[in-house]
Amino acid sequence: MPKPERQLLVCVHTRPPGNSKGSCGEKGSEGLFHALKSLLRERGLGDRVMVTRTYCLKHCSHGSTIAVQPDNVWYAAVKPDDLAEIVSSHLEQDRPVARLLMPDVPWE
C-alpha cells in the first residue's frame, strides 16, 4: 500500500455527562469515523486517505471535529450528511468545504 496522501483525524473524545464543553463522542463522532471509512472505500480513496480516531482536538464545544492533514483544514460541527461533501469537494477536488470550517476561535 502506498503512503497516504492525507490523514483525517476524527475526534471521538467523550467527557462525563454534564460537562459544559460537551464532547465530540457524545455528538456522534464514532459513527462519523465508521461512515467516513466506508465512504472512502466506496469512492476508491481507501489507500490514499487514512482515517484515524483521535481524542480531544480542543474544539469539542463546536461539535464533532475533523482535521485534514497535511492540509491543516479543520471542520466543525460535522454531521453524517456532510461527509459526502467533504470527500467530494475537499478530498477529490482540493476545495475545502467553507461552510464547515472551524471558526477562528481560541483553543479550548
Side-chain angles (χ1 to χ4, degrees):
M1 175 163 57
K3 181 173 102 174
E5 297 168 12
R6 289 187 170 114
Q7 183 175 22
L8 304 182
L9 304 173
V10 180
C11 178
V12 296
H13 182 67
T14 300
R15 289 188 172 90
N19 186 290
S20 62
K21 291 181 185 177
S23 64
C24 294
E26 73 183 3
K27 295 171 185 156
S29 62
E30 185 71 32
L32 291 177
F33 169 81
H34 292 291
L36 195 49
K37 287 187 70 83
S38 294
L39 184 58
L40 290 170
R41 277 192 303 271
E42 289 170 18
R43 298 271 182 102
L45 298 172
D47 289 343
R48 294 178 23 214
V49 180
M50 182 186 331
V51 183
T52 305
R53 283 182 191 94
T54 187
Y55 292 90
C56 195
L57 290 173
K58 305 289 185 191
H59 288 295
C60 287
S61 67
H62 295 280
S64 294
T65 300
I66 296 177
V68 182
Q69 299 300 341
D71 303 353
N72 198 27
V73 171
W74 293 65
Y75 291 117
V78 178
K79 305 276 191 266
D81 292 343
D82 300 322
L83 297 178
E85 185 176 7
I86 290 170
V87 170
S88 174
S89 183
H90 190 149
L91 302 179
E92 294 177 334
Q93 300 172 39
D94 291 323
R95 291 187 333 220
V97 181
R99 69 180 182 82
L100 295 173
L101 293 176
M102 180 70 65
D104 190 16
V105 296
W107 290 82
E108 297 173 357

